[in-house]
Amino acid sequence: MCGITGWVAYDRDLTLERDVLDAMTATQLCRGPDDGGVHLERHAALGHRRLAVLDPEGGAQPMTAEHDGRLLAALSYNGEVYNHHELRAELVAAGHRFRTRGDTEVVLRGYLEWGERVAERLNGMFAFAVWDARTEELLLVRDRMGVKPLHYHPTPDGVLFGSEPKALLTHPAVRPVVDLDGLRELFSMIRTPGLTPYRGIAEVRPGHLVRVRRSGVSVHRYWSLEARRHTQDLATTIGTVRALLEDIVHRQLEADVPLCSLLSGGLDSSAVTALAARSLEAAGAGPVRSFAVDFTGQSEHFHPDAVRTTPDRPYAELLARHVGADHSVIELDSAALTDPAQRLATLRARDLPGGVGDMDTSLLLFFRRVREHSTVALSGESADELFGGYRWFHDPKALDADDFPWATALSGFGGAGTGPREQLLDRELLAKLDLPGYRRARYREALAEVPHLPDTDPFERRMREVSYLNLTRFVRILLDRKDRMSMASGLEVRVPFCDHRLVQYVFNTPWTMKSFDGREKSLLRAAVRDVLPAEIAGRMKSPYPIVQDPRYPELLRRELAALAADPGSPALALLDRRELADALAPDTDPQTVRLAADLALDLDAWLTEYQVSLEL
């Protein structure tokens, strides 16, 4: 996995801009600590930082292809293509000759053979830029589910691009400006495809490509979820899901570096770990290495609530014993989670305030520790969006609301302007933002995209809509978080449940099959039940853990008090002074302002570190 960046300018000579390109490339060092390179010519500059996973000796980038001493194309690529062996064979049959063993050259040669339609042939997670020297055109491509990020900023004579916003913000022509719409996107608990909170910086949408020519920038879609009639019975459907998962996990185990599984003890990560263990054992390459996160004193401080009824650790250890995994538990403590240096590191990973507090910081610290042992990790991300695991899939109130279902189900968290996460924000600012109105407008835009079959039962039609919203809006939040925290640690995380073949198939499976036994994720449970202990196969959904040490909110309040006492804190302009004073009152339980304190501290660090200009 890697970090890419670059610059196309048709009205200037970029061979004179090496210092700028080097600075942009250096921002991606965390994504690619193993190697780096640049490719410069008159109108195109490509930068690359490499995390070596396949063919460590031969996969240097940017990679070029020449013919008779003439440059054909240059590629800066971030990702993994899991069907690269089959594509290589096809390209060799078509006359191409390879000098490396990895997937990068397959993508480059695939572009020379198929042009932009190469994207349709790739199975994997990827984001890449190809400069076609023959036509002086740039192609930016992002994978179907948006697992790998790719940002761009159109300029009067071309474009700037990079894996993360920090690469673009390093360019002297780009300023970190955030307006009201940017804050709305930041606070609304949605991720609108193509948008970022920074004015002028866009994302390549999942399943899309961006072509840059002298005449301008154009955007094209090469893949989207389609409505197809499901004709298989339940038993066949269960078998198809199992067969797809086995093939996906087997493909994603390929690596020339140490590989592991991220194991929470939930259904999703346990399924991936168990299938990986079977595949490795069959190949004589086991046991599977697995890692779980926990917090110091979590067992004694754990209190069940509406969403986390049981702690993860016992279930992760149960699954590890069941499959014979080489398992480790990584414990984190409250002091590390509230360390301002770690908050800053988390912010730099995201380039934005996360607003979820210790769930971000603990993930970053967890990944750093995993990286000491492994370079690649498999994760269970996206199974809930795909198979209907979240409670809002099963909550009539959330399903009937004229809003994103999770916004209703998580109204006690934030995103409406009145939740505990926003309780410290200035009231006039919240009125200007009108977060519910913004979100409803985005909701109607998203609904208009949903593909439907004619003569569909109204309930099945609604569940197709809810599935689409989760697979195109909510999953973006989690995939972005997982990518930024892992790549900030130089760790590649693979997500088997995002394989587009599985996503397309399950999307069109009737809801009656996805919940055939009255449980969440019935279809997935049935497909993997035989490889799991009964306790895990029947376990209720439990989200990523939060630290329950009572010291954590108290330490947060101390930081918040320091912010309030510093007249130079830029976040004070966004906060309500009366609410802030109430939050710091001696009789206020710090637990009740935990979410709001984390958001305020994140905002202050962001505004300071990135010198953000707010135009509100």
Side-chain angles (χ1 to χ4, degrees), residues 214-544:
R214 287 180 180 273
S215 57
V217 176
S218 58
V219 178
H220 305 279
R221 185 179 68 192
Y222 70 87
W223 184 86
S224 64
L225 287 166
E226 299 176 354
R228 301 172 184 170
R229 199 169 298 280
H230 189 83
T231 59
Q232 296 178 334
D233 62 18
L234 178 58
T236 306
T237 300
I238 293 170
T240 300
V241 169
R242 174 58 172 268
L244 281 168
L245 284 172
E246 288 179 339
D247 178 69
I248 293 163
V249 170
H250 175 73
R251 288 176 180 273
Q252 296 196 17
L253 289 172
E254 182 183 10
D256 293 330
V257 292
L259 177 145
C260 69
S261 176
L262 306 176
L263 177 60
S264 71
L267 175 64
D268 314 332
S269 65
S270 295
V272 169
T273 304
L275 292 174
R278 281 198 164 196
S279 183
L280 290 171
E281 182 180 9
V288 65
R289 189 85 164 92
S290 61
F291 293 92
V293 65
D294 201 5
F295 305 106
T296 303
Q298 186 78 340
S299 58
E300 62 194 80
H301 297 305
F302 182 82
H303 297 290
D305 57 29
V307 295
R308 295 177 179 88
T309 59
T310 52
D312 284 344
R313 184 169 184 163
Y315 291 92
E317 292 174 341
L318 172 62
L319 190 281
R321 291 193 299 272
H322 185 75
V323 302
D326 179 4
H327 184 65
S328 298
V329 177
I330 293 173
E331 283 195 2
L332 308 173
D333 62 41
S334 294
L337 293 171
T338 55
D339 182 348
Q342 303 306 337
R343 183 181 298 279
L344 189 57
T346 303
L347 168 69
R348 288 171 175 158
R350 272 195 184 266
D351 289 322
L352 290 166
V356 293
D358 63 294
M359 288 196 292
D360 268 359
T361 311
S362 68
L363 193 63
L364 177 64
L365 294 175
F366 174 51
F367 284 157
R368 284 179 181 170
R369 298 276 295 278
V370 172
R371 182 61 175 87
E372 295 173 7
H373 309 277
S374 296
T375 307
V376 177
L378 271 61
S379 172
E381 215 77 53
S382 306
D384 289 302
E385 291 82 358
L386 184 56
F387 289 96
Y390 295 120
R391 57 178 172 161
W392 51 81
F393 279 92
H394 311 272
D395 179 358
K397 182 181 178 182
L399 295 177
D400 292 341
D402 184 27
D403 202 343
F404 292 101
W406 55 89
T408 301
L410 300 177
S411 58
F413 173 81
T418 56
R421 192 177 64 145
E422 297 104 26
Q423 72 184 83
L424 295 181
L425 294 181
D426 180 75
R427 304 299 119 177
E428 290 186 10
L429 173 62
L430 286 172
K432 275 186 181 182
L433 291 173
D434 183 18
L435 298 178
Y438 177 78
R439 205 174 51 237
R440 283 193 297 270
R442 294 300 184 197
Y443 171 71
R444 295 184 183 114
E445 289 175 2
L447 275 190
E449 299 173 6
V450 181
H452 287 290
L453 293 169
D455 305 321
T456 303
D457 170 83
F459 182 69
E460 284 286 351
R461 179 184 176 90
R462 177 55 178 163
M463 296 314 296
R464 178 183 289 272
E465 291 175 345
V466 172
S467 295
Y468 185 90
L469 296 174
N470 277 270
L471 288 168
T472 61
R473 287 351 186 239
F474 190 75
V475 78
R476 300 283 340 110
I477 300 171
L478 301 182
L479 289 176
D480 286 351
R481 170 177 174 262
K482 184 62 67 76
D483 173 84
R484 300 306 191 277
M485 296 304 117
S486 62
M487 294 310 298
S489 312
L491 177 71
E492 174 184 302
V493 174
R494 299 176 179 178
V495 279
F497 288 109
C498 281
D499 185 290
H500 72 278
R501 299 169 298 159
L502 180 68
V503 171
Q504 182 66 72
Y505 180 80
V506 176
F507 175 67
N508 283 297
T509 302
W511 181 254
T512 51
M513 288 189 179
K514 292 179 188 174
S515 58
F516 70 86
D517 63 359
R519 289 288 310 274
E520 76 282 4
K521 293 190 284 195
S522 306
L523 189 56
L524 177 58
R525 289 180 198 279
V528 298
R529 187 179 299 275
D530 64 303
V531 298
L532 302 177
E535 298 92 329
I536 292 175
R539 190 185 179 200
M540 184 181 294
K541 164 70 183 174
S542 183
Y544 182 84

Side-chain angles (χ1 to χ4, degrees), residues 94-151:
H96 292 267
R97 297 293 175 263
F98 288 82
R99 60 182 186 269
T100 65
R101 296 185 295 106
D103 56 342
T104 302
E105 192 175 8
V106 171
V107 175
L108 178 57
R109 290 283 162 184
Y111 172 78
L112 294 176
E113 181 68 22
W114 301 305
E116 67 183 42
R117 300 201 67 175
V118 64
E120 302 169 21
R121 293 174 172 261
L122 304 179
N123 176 338
M125 54 179 189
F126 49 82
F128 60 86
V130 182
W131 171 251
D132 192 325
R134 301 165 300 183
T135 60
E136 293 196 321
E137 296 177 0
L138 180 76
L139 184 71
L140 302 175
V141 181
R142 193 174 183 197
D143 66 68
R144 296 166 180 85
M145 291 295 291
V147 180
K148 291 291 105 183
L150 186 53
H151 297 78

Side-chain angles (χ1 to χ4, degrees), residues 178 198 347 351-353 602-610 612:
V178 176
Y198 291 111
L347 168 69
D351 289 322
L352 290 166
D602 278 359
L603 287 171
D604 198 64
W606 174 54
L607 294 170
T608 301
E609 179 72 8
Y610 282 71
V612 176

Side-chain angles (χ1 to χ4, degrees), residues 573-592:
L574 301 179
L575 302 181
D576 186 293
R577 297 302 182 99
R578 180 176 299 176
E579 292 286 343
L580 186 57
D582 288 346
L584 295 173
D587 58 345
T588 299
D589 180 357
Q591 186 68 39
T592 64

